[in-house]
Structure formats: C-alpha cells, structure tokens
Amino acid sequence: MSNNPPDDTRPLSKREEERLLKAGRSVFSTAFPNPNREGCPSQDLIQTLARDNAQLAQHQDFILHMSRCSPCYNDFARFRKVAQRAKRTKLLAAAAVIVIICVAAWLVVRARHGLPHEYPAAFDMSTQLMFRGLGGNSAESKGPMVLRRGIADLTLYLTPGSRTGPYEVGVLTESERVLITTPGSAAVKGTRPALTARLDVSRLNPGHYLLGIRPPGADWSLSPLVVK
Ligand SMILES: [Zn+2]
C-alpha cells in the first residue's frame, strides 16, 4: 500500500467517492498500469471494501492507492457492481418472499372459510308470514324462508299490485335491528312483480332472522328468515 499524503486524511463523502469512480471509468481504469501489482491489497480486502461502505471509509489508504493503481481500481469497480447487483437481488428476493407469505396466508384463510357460495333462491312472498311495519298484523304462512350461508341471488315474487322499481332488501335481527341491506329492484315477471336482489348472508351466524323489503323511505315489510 502506498502512504497517505499528509493533506488527504479527510474521508471521502459518498458523492466524492461516486465522482471518483465515475471519473475513473475513463482515467483510472487505464492510466495507472501496475502489472506487478506492487503495493496492492489482497483480493479479499478489495472485495470486502467494495461491499462495505463503512469499512471503505476506514481505508482511505486503499482509496488513495486505487486512485493510482488501475488494476485495483478495476477490481474494486467490478466487485462493487457485483455487490450492488447482489443487494438488489436480495431486496427483490425479500419482496418475493413477502408476496409468497401473503398469498399463502390468503390461501389458508380462503381454505378455512371457503369462498361464499353463490346460489339462486326464489320465494313467493304472498305465502310468507308478513308483518307490516313494526309489530303489525300477521297472516297465514307456509313457514319461514330458509337461506343457506352464502350469496343468494334472490327472486321474491311480490303480491300482485305491489309497486315496481327500486327496493331495499335487508336482514334484521328478530328484535328488528338491521344487519344487512342491499339494493334490489322489482319488475313485472309474467303476471306478478318480482323483486330481485343479491343478498350476501355468508357472514351471518346460522339462526333466526327477519327478511325485510321496502321501497325507499317506506317501512320494512318483514318475514321470518332462517339462515342455515
Ligand atoms: Zn493496486
């Protein structure tokens, strides 16, 4: 190794180092041939310094040597490139690992809970037990509607003369607390108005509920609903 000149004991800043390397590409790489590698440090040390900026900062002697030794300059530049590529690869690998973990976690969650099953379900509302508004009158019923947990593509046949147009469809607790609402719309199908809506009951616990339908702003018309 050559000796440090007395006026150059200040560590190089990163920018200075980069400038040196850049300028070196045209000058240092060829201007200072040292075929016998006199005063050169070991390849191991050059490789370490190319990888480790903190260590490089403590080896001003090497930086100075490199500025006068084209073979060392070229070794350093080559190791540096490899080290930076490895760092980038490591970052990419880390990102890939994170993505893989997320996908695996998602698959586990999906396998455990299952994707909501989507199925068609049709009911004749004229035969359902109907409560008009809060605690209203009841009529004869053929038992409650039953929906399986999942996403029901509902078709609700309304009593003749029911209004068509937009509706709101909801699931309420038996104490009439609204749990789910979804938009629906009624149109005449054949001879009767039918209300269609996509109702997601995949997250409801199995049990007894009320199915509510209402035109916007009106009171709920409620019917017993069982979710299985
Ligand atoms: Zn050298």
Side-chain angles (χ1 to χ4, degrees):
M1 285 260 194
S2 64
N3 295 323
N4 287 352
D7 63 333
D8 201 349
T9 51
R10 186 176 57 87
L12 267 82
S13 72
K14 197 168 169 62
R15 183 174 292 176
E16 284 171 327
E17 182 206 315
E18 276 165 9
R19 215 178 286 152
L20 172 73
L21 285 171
K22 201 171 188 184
R25 238 164 258 152
S26 52
V27 179
F28 294 107
S29 60
T30 54
F32 309 100
N34 183 2
N36 297 325
R37 302 299 300 255
E38 273 168 43
C40 296
S42 71
Q43 290 285 293
D44 281 354
L45 180 60
I46 298 174
Q47 195 169 5
T48 302
L49 300 181
R51 271 199 217 121
D52 189 335
N53 282 332
Q55 290 213 47
L56 180 64
Q58 289 171 1
H59 281 76
Q60 294 299 304
D61 50 347
F62 171 70
I63 295 173
L64 279 170
H65 170 82
M66 178 168 65
S67 71
R68 292 166 203 161
C69 173
S70 293
C72 277
Y73 171 84
N74 290 329
D75 285 345
F76 181 83
R78 194 179 69 248
F79 288 134
R80 189 86 167 168
K81 210 177 244 176
V82 171
Q84 281 169 347
R85 197 175 301 148
K87 212 184 248 174
R88 263 201 303 275
T89 308
K90 228 183 243 174
L91 279 177
L92 284 176
V97 165
I98 290 168
V99 169
I100 288 166
I101 288 171
C102 289
V103 168
W106 179 75
L107 285 174
V108 166
V109 167
R110 200 182 70 152
R112 202 169 285 167
H113 296 284
L115 275 180
H117 173 63
E118 193 159 350
Y119 62 95
F123 297 99
D124 184 347
M125 299 307 284
S126 64
T127 60
Q128 300 297 323
L129 182 64
M130 302 287 280
F131 302 96
R132 296 272 165 207
L134 296 176
N137 307 318
S138 62
E140 283 303 306
S141 155
K142 285 183 180 173
M145 286 177 277
V146 178
L147 290 176
R148 277 171 290 132
R149 286 171 81 191
I151 299 169
D153 281 317
L154 281 181
T155 303
L156 304 174
Y157 291 98
L158 305 176
T159 46
S162 296
R163 58 172 291 177
T164 53
Y167 272 79
E168 198 175 7
V169 177
V171 176
L172 295 78
T173 64
E174 288 181 306
S175 56
E176 299 187 9
R177 188 164 59 84
V178 177
L179 299 174
I180 296 169
T181 62
T182 190
S185 85
V188 173
K189 272 192 178 178
T191 57
R192 293 177 62 182
L195 167 57
T196 52
R198 193 168 175 276
L199 184 64
D200 184 352
V201 294
S202 61
R203 262 165 276 177
L204 289 181
N205 291 321
H208 290 263
Y209 298 91
L210 296 170
L211 182 79
I213 61 173
R214 65 179 180 188
D219 287 334
W220 289 111
S221 292
L222 298 168
S223 314
L225 168 70
V226 172
V227 174
K228 280 190 171 169

Short mmCIF file of all heavy atoms in Angstrom, two decimals, residues 1 32 34 37-41 46 62 65-66 68-73 75, ligand 1:
data_model
loop_
_atom_site.label_atom_id
_atom_site.label_comp_id
_atom_site.label_asym_id
_atom_site.label_seq_id
_atom_site.Cartn_x
_atom_site.Cartn_y
_atom_site.Cartn_z
N MET A 1 0.85 -1.20 0.00
CA MET A 1 0.00 0.00 0.00
C MET A 1 0.88 1.25 0.00
O MET A 1 1.91 1.29 0.66
CB MET A 1 -0.86 0.02 1.27
CG MET A 1 -1.99 -0.98 1.20
SD MET A 1 -3.51 -0.16 0.78
CE MET A 1 -4.67 -1.43 1.19
N PHE A 32 -3.09 4.02 -14.86
CA PHE A 32 -2.06 3.63 -13.90
C PHE A 32 -1.82 2.13 -13.92
O PHE A 32 -2.18 1.43 -12.97
CB PHE A 32 -2.46 4.08 -12.49
CG PHE A 32 -2.85 5.53 -12.41
CD1 PHE A 32 -4.19 5.92 -12.40
CD2 PHE A 32 -1.87 6.52 -12.36
CE1 PHE A 32 -4.54 7.25 -12.35
CE2 PHE A 32 -2.22 7.86 -12.30
CZ PHE A 32 -3.57 8.24 -12.30
N ASN A 34 -0.29 -1.32 -13.34
CA ASN A 34 0.57 -1.81 -12.25
C ASN A 34 0.66 -3.31 -12.44
O ASN A 34 0.11 -4.09 -11.67
CB ASN A 34 -0.06 -1.44 -10.90
CG ASN A 34 0.81 -1.86 -9.72
OD1 ASN A 34 1.91 -2.38 -9.91
ND2 ASN A 34 0.31 -1.64 -8.51
N ARG A 37 1.39 -5.58 -9.68
CA ARG A 37 0.51 -5.37 -8.53
C ARG A 37 1.31 -4.99 -7.29
O ARG A 37 1.08 -5.52 -6.20
CB ARG A 37 -0.35 -6.62 -8.25
CG ARG A 37 -1.23 -7.06 -9.42
CD ARG A 37 -2.24 -6.06 -9.88
NE ARG A 37 -3.21 -5.65 -8.90
CZ ARG A 37 -4.50 -6.06 -8.89
NH1 ARG A 37 -4.92 -6.89 -9.82
NH2 ARG A 37 -5.33 -5.62 -7.98
N GLU A 38 2.19 -4.02 -7.48
CA GLU A 38 3.01 -3.60 -6.35
C GLU A 38 2.18 -2.80 -5.36
O GLU A 38 1.49 -1.86 -5.73
CB GLU A 38 4.21 -2.77 -6.83
CG GLU A 38 5.40 -3.65 -7.20
CD GLU A 38 6.48 -2.89 -7.93
OE1 GLU A 38 6.80 -1.76 -7.52
OE2 GLU A 38 6.99 -3.41 -8.95
N GLY A 39 2.26 -3.17 -4.09
CA GLY A 39 1.57 -2.46 -3.02
C GLY A 39 0.07 -2.69 -3.02
O GLY A 39 -0.67 -2.01 -2.31
N CYS A 40 -0.42 -3.69 -3.77
CA CYS A 40 -1.86 -3.93 -3.84
C CYS A 40 -2.33 -4.76 -2.64
O CYS A 40 -1.63 -5.69 -2.23
CB CYS A 40 -2.21 -4.68 -5.12
SG CYS A 40 -1.86 -3.73 -6.60
N PRO A 41 -3.49 -4.43 -2.11
CA PRO A 41 -4.05 -5.28 -1.06
C PRO A 41 -4.59 -6.58 -1.68
O PRO A 41 -4.66 -6.70 -2.89
CB PRO A 41 -5.18 -4.43 -0.48
CG PRO A 41 -5.60 -3.56 -1.59
CD PRO A 41 -4.39 -3.30 -2.44
N ILE A 46 -10.16 -6.10 -1.11
CA ILE A 46 -10.81 -5.23 -2.10
C ILE A 46 -12.29 -5.58 -2.19
O ILE A 46 -13.17 -4.71 -2.22
CB ILE A 46 -10.15 -5.37 -3.49
CG1 ILE A 46 -8.68 -4.94 -3.41
CG2 ILE A 46 -10.88 -4.52 -4.53
CD1 ILE A 46 -7.91 -5.18 -4.70
N PHE A 62 -6.52 2.75 0.98
CA PHE A 62 -6.87 1.97 -0.21
C PHE A 62 -7.46 2.87 -1.29
O PHE A 62 -7.15 2.71 -2.47
CB PHE A 62 -7.85 0.84 0.13
CG PHE A 62 -8.37 0.18 -1.11
CD1 PHE A 62 -7.54 -0.62 -1.88
CD2 PHE A 62 -9.67 0.41 -1.55
CE1 PHE A 62 -8.00 -1.21 -3.05
CE2 PHE A 62 -10.13 -0.17 -2.73
CZ PHE A 62 -9.29 -0.99 -3.48
N HIS A 65 -4.74 4.50 -2.91
CA HIS A 65 -3.98 3.53 -3.72
C HIS A 65 -4.73 3.26 -5.03
O HIS A 65 -4.14 3.28 -6.11
CB HIS A 65 -3.80 2.22 -2.94
CG HIS A 65 -3.25 1.13 -3.79
ND1 HIS A 65 -1.89 1.00 -4.06
CD2 HIS A 65 -3.86 0.12 -4.48
CE1 HIS A 65 -1.71 -0.04 -4.86
NE2 HIS A 65 -2.89 -0.60 -5.13
N MET A 66 -6.04 3.06 -4.90
CA MET A 66 -6.87 2.77 -6.06
C MET A 66 -6.82 3.91 -7.08
O MET A 66 -6.92 3.69 -8.28
CB MET A 66 -8.30 2.54 -5.56
CG MET A 66 -9.33 2.27 -6.62
SD MET A 66 -10.86 1.68 -5.89
CE MET A 66 -11.41 3.08 -4.93
N ARG A 68 -4.35 5.44 -7.89
CA ARG A 68 -3.07 5.40 -8.60
C ARG A 68 -2.75 4.01 -9.12
O ARG A 68 -1.63 3.75 -9.51
CB ARG A 68 -1.94 5.84 -7.67
CG ARG A 68 -2.00 7.28 -7.29
CD ARG A 68 -1.08 7.53 -6.14
NE ARG A 68 -1.49 8.73 -5.39
CZ ARG A 68 -1.10 8.97 -4.16
NH1 ARG A 68 -0.32 8.13 -3.52
NH2 ARG A 68 -1.51 10.07 -3.55
N CYS A 69 -3.73 3.12 -9.02
CA CYS A 69 -3.49 1.73 -9.45
C CYS A 69 -4.69 1.25 -10.25
O CYS A 69 -5.74 0.95 -9.68
CB CYS A 69 -3.23 0.85 -8.22
SG CYS A 69 -3.10 -0.90 -8.65
N SER A 70 -4.51 1.23 -11.57
CA SER A 70 -5.65 0.84 -12.42
C SER A 70 -6.15 -0.57 -12.14
O SER A 70 -7.37 -0.78 -12.08
CB SER A 70 -5.28 0.98 -13.90
OG SER A 70 -5.09 2.35 -14.18
N PRO A 71 -5.29 -1.56 -11.93
CA PRO A 71 -5.82 -2.91 -11.65
C PRO A 71 -6.71 -2.92 -10.40
O PRO A 71 -7.77 -3.56 -10.40
CB PRO A 71 -4.56 -3.76 -11.44
CG PRO A 71 -3.48 -3.02 -12.14
CD PRO A 71 -3.83 -1.57 -12.06
N CYS A 72 -6.28 -2.21 -9.32
CA CYS A 72 -7.10 -2.19 -8.10
C CYS A 72 -8.40 -1.43 -8.36
O CYS A 72 -9.46 -1.83 -7.88
CB CYS A 72 -6.34 -1.55 -6.94
SG CYS A 72 -5.25 -2.72 -6.12
N TYR A 73 -8.28 -0.34 -9.10
CA TYR A 73 -9.49 0.41 -9.42
C TYR A 73 -10.48 -0.50 -10.15
O TYR A 73 -11.67 -0.54 -9.83
CB TYR A 73 -9.17 1.64 -10.28
CG TYR A 73 -10.43 2.28 -10.78
CD1 TYR A 73 -11.13 3.19 -9.98
CD2 TYR A 73 -10.98 1.93 -12.01
CE1 TYR A 73 -12.33 3.74 -10.39
CE2 TYR A 73 -12.18 2.48 -12.43
CZ TYR A 73 -12.84 3.38 -11.62
OH TYR A 73 -14.01 3.90 -12.03
N ASP A 75 -10.59 -3.79 -10.17
CA ASP A 75 -11.09 -4.85 -9.28
C ASP A 75 -12.23 -4.30 -8.41
O ASP A 75 -13.28 -4.93 -8.27
CB ASP A 75 -9.97 -5.35 -8.36
CG ASP A 75 -8.99 -6.24 -9.11
OD1 ASP A 75 -9.34 -6.69 -10.22
OD2 ASP A 75 -7.88 -6.48 -8.58
ZN ZN B 1 -3.25 -1.94 -6.60
#
